[in-house]
Amino acid sequence: SLMLAAGEGQLQAVECLLRLGASVHATDHLGFTALHYASGAFWGEQVAIVERLIAAGADVGQASKGDLRPTDLARERGYREVVARLAK
């Protein structure tokens, strides 16, 4: 899924899934989108994926069911570059 690829830092998979029509607006059972997963990725700061998802129309202000936004997750991880991209 797009969320899994984004969270694991798989830029090529993200690109392929977007080309195939994967929705950047799809959510999981907690209300997280691919942008949430990329912004709070366990495998390191995913600036390129965050930028690609935003370019594809991802909503940087979308809150999860627990009222967490992508920026909140990036801040928790200390991902300054991602926070800066989300603030643009």
Side-chain angles (χ1 to χ4, degrees), residues 43-58:
W43 313 113
E45 199 165 16
Q46 303 300 327
V47 177
I49 292 176
V50 166
E51 288 176 338
R52 181 63 186 96
L53 293 170
I54 291 170

Side-chain angles (χ1 to χ4, degrees), residues 10-76:
Q10 301 296 323
L11 180 59
Q12 288 180 331
V14 167
E15 292 284 354
C16 180
L17 289 165
L18 289 172
R19 279 193 304 274
L20 292 172
S23 174
V24 294
H25 306 293
T27 60
D28 67 8
H29 67 287
L30 297 174
F32 290 115
T33 64
L35 187 58
H36 283 90
Y37 277 88
S39 297
F42 288 109
W43 313 113
E45 199 165 16
Q46 303 300 327
V47 177
I49 292 176
V50 166
E51 288 176 338
R52 181 63 186 96
L53 293 170
I54 291 170
D59 181 357
V60 299
Q62 184 169 341
S64 68
K65 291 180 181 177
D67 202 34
L68 291 171
R69 288 163 179 74
T71 304
D72 299 324
L73 300 175
R75 280 193 184 112
E76 283 179 13

